[in-house]
């Protein structure tokens, strides 16, 4: 049976590359590049709440890193270092090896170094803290949206929620759509390159962790503005056929969480540059609406005749 220190040494200690001091002392020491600000975030995944007990450990390792990377992406930060706090019901070496493989795969993919953490016994809880860098004053905040800005979203929000619905047996997706929705749920791709590129293009950004409408509303509230969205312009094309008419797909696109796409606001003057960016990143960027002067936080969803389409906002709230 492994001890706490065996677990740390065997599974979570790798040679330090960019930290002055990594795993093994009382704390790590890191140094940002000259003139940069540090951007720090933490997010945890709790068994029974964010994932089922028998979830694939490699996918959990990836996701523990990816959900935090997504917050750095939404700030326009370049990821650098991570801390990993684990509560484990038991020292299961096979489980830990698979979890670590997924975690380090994401870390290597996005250039992050694990520099410390904590390991205790307890109900399975996976908490990472990430540290990234941005040039001073360049970070993307929720509060910068301006009236007349375009509202954009990356990728195909709704896929992760559809993947979850399929895993729960609520829907059967065809072979063309099933795998990409499952992948969106299990192996989200944090939009780091997009976030960095948006530093000079966007006025505000947020990542879609709770749902497209719920997260857009956070931008509106922070910026003191309202939004008009155009129903026909939402990225229905990335979801299974007939998504526009299918109630479950509509629900997943508007309110599904866990996609880790980026919603951002930018001046209409930047449309060409944003189209070029989508091409360069091979990532669809869809213009879905505009920021308007109205009741703060209010979202209107409009059809082709400018009539309001009814909808509900159902962002996830752990205490509701
Ligand atoms: P302390 O008691 O001084 O807090 P610990 O015994 O908790 O130290 O941890 C020893 C070292 O191992 C520290 O550098 C800590 O950051 C690191 N560490 C502990 N758990 C993890 C983990 N899950 N992943 C990475 N590093 C870890
Ligand atoms: Mg100590």
């Amino acid at each position: 049976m492994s001890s706490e220190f065996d677990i740390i040494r065997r599974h979570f200690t790798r040679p330090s590359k960019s930290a002055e001091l990594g795993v093994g002392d009382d704390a790590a020491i890191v140094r940002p590049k000259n003139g940069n600000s540090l951007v720090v975030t933490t997010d945890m995944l709790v068994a029974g709440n964010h994932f089922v007990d028998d979830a694939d450990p490699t996918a959990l390792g990836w996701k523990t890193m990816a959900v935090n990377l997504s917050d750095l992406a939404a700030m326009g930060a370049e990821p650098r270092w991570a801390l990993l706090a684990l509560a484990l019901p038991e020292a299961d070496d096979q489980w830990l090896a698979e979890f670590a493989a997924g975690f380090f795969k994401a870390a290597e993919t996005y250039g992050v170094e694990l520099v410390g953490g904590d390991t205790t016994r307890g109900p399975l809880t996976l908490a990472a803290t990430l540290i990234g860098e941005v040039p001073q004053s360049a970070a993307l905040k929720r509060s910068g949206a301006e009236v007349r800005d375009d509202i954009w979203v990356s990728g195909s929000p709704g896929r992760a929620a559809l993947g979850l619905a399929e895993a729960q047996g609520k829907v059967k997706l065809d072979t063309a759509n099933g795998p990409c929705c499952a992948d969106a749920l299990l192996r989200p791709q944090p939009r780091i390159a997009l976030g960095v590129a948006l530093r000079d293009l966007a006025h505000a950004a947020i990542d879609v962790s709770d749902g497209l409408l719920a997260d857009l509303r956070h931008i509106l509230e922070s910026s003191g503005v309202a939004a008009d969205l155009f129903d026909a312009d939402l990225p229905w094309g990335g979801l299974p056929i007939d998504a526009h008419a299918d109630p479950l797909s509509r629900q997943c696109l508007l309110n599904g969480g866990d996609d880790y796409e980026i919603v951002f606001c930018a001046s209409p003057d930047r449309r060409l540059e944003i189209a070029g960016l989508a091409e360069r990143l091979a990532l669809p960027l869809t213009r879905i609406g505009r920021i308007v002067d109205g009741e703060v936080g209010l979202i209107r969803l409009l059809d082709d005749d400018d009539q309001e389409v009814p909808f509900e906002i159902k962002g996830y709230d752990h205490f509701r």
Side-chain angles (χ1 to χ4, degrees):
M1 194 47 119
S2 297
S3 74
E4 176 188 331
F5 303 103
D6 293 334
I7 292 175
I8 298 167
R9 188 173 37 76
R10 194 172 301 150
H11 298 290
F12 299 109
T13 307
R14 304 240 169 138
S16 200
K17 280 183 249 156
S18 68
E20 273 182 50
L21 188 61
V23 171
D25 212 305
D26 293 307
I29 306 176
V30 298
R31 186 173 18 190
K33 292 168 199 157
N34 270 348
N36 277 2
S37 297
L38 294 178
V39 181
V40 187
T41 186
T42 195
D43 249 335
M44 67 181 161
L45 302 180
V46 178
N49 189 346
H50 297 91
F51 57 90
V52 289
D53 282 322
D54 61 353
D56 171 41
T58 309
L60 281 180
W62 175 278
K63 197 158 176 175
T64 301
M65 175 60 82
V67 298
N68 281 283
L69 284 166
S70 178
D71 282 318
L72 291 187
M75 301 297 291
E78 180 195 347
R80 298 295 306 279
W81 304 285
L83 298 148
L84 176 63
L86 297 175
L88 305 167
E90 56 184 346
D92 177 342
D93 268 313
Q94 174 69 30
W95 190 96
L96 280 161
E98 290 173 28
F99 174 84
F103 185 84
F104 281 110
K105 177 92 181 58
E108 279 150 22
T109 302
Y110 293 95
V112 178
E113 184 170 332
L114 180 65
V115 296
D118 197 22
T119 307
T120 76
R121 186 192 285 271
L124 186 58
T125 304
L126 316 165
T129 298
L130 255 80
I131 305 170
E133 293 188 40
V134 284
Q136 222 171 329
S137 310
L140 288 167
K141 300 185 198 147
R142 297 178 180 185
S143 55
E146 296 174 15
V147 171
R148 282 184 300 281
D149 274 355
D150 291 324
I151 303 170
W152 298 79
V153 67
S154 65
S156 293
R159 282 188 182 173
L162 271 176
L164 180 63
E166 177 159 62
Q168 293 172 334
K170 293 182 185 161
V171 62
K172 181 83 194 90
L173 301 175
D174 59 29
T175 47
N177 292 293
C180 72
C181 291
D183 228 45
L185 179 69
L186 296 174
R187 281 176 50 94
Q189 307 289 311
R191 303 303 187 190
I192 296 291
L194 174 63
V196 169
L198 288 176
R199 283 174 193 164
D200 302 319
L201 275 175
H203 290 148
I206 190 168
D207 67 323
V208 182
S209 53
D210 293 335
L212 178 62
L213 297 179
D215 286 318
L216 170 61
R217 192 161 60 181
H218 291 311
I219 288 188
L220 304 180
E221 284 166 347
S222 298
S223 302
V225 291
D228 282 351
L229 296 184
F230 310 119
D231 195 72
D233 293 345
L234 294 172
W236 303 110
L239 297 181
I241 330 298
D242 280 344
H244 186 243
D246 169 49
L248 176 69
S249 295
R250 284 192 70 84
Q251 196 50 28
C252 288
L253 190 147
L254 296 174
N255 287 314
D258 254 11
D259 278 301
Y260 305 102
E261 295 296 349
I262 301 286
V263 173
F264 61 95
C265 303
S267 158
D269 301 340
R270 315 302 294 270
R271 285 180 191 172
L272 268 180
E273 286 163 273
I274 291 168
L277 178 62
E279 206 157 298
R280 177 163 74 74
L281 299 177
L283 173 66
L285 299 176
T286 309
R287 187 155 51 82
I288 59 172
R290 66 167 170 254
I291 298 293
V292 297
D293 196 4
E295 183 191 323
V296 171
L298 185 73
I299 298 174
R300 295 194 312 161
L301 185 59
L302 302 174
D303 67 14
D304 289 342
D305 302 319
D306 259 5
Q307 298 301 305
E308 287 192 38
V309 181
F311 65 88
E312 269 183 287
I313 299 189
K314 286 201 210 128
Y316 193 74
D317 181 329
H318 287 278
F319 295 98
R320 285 252 171 97

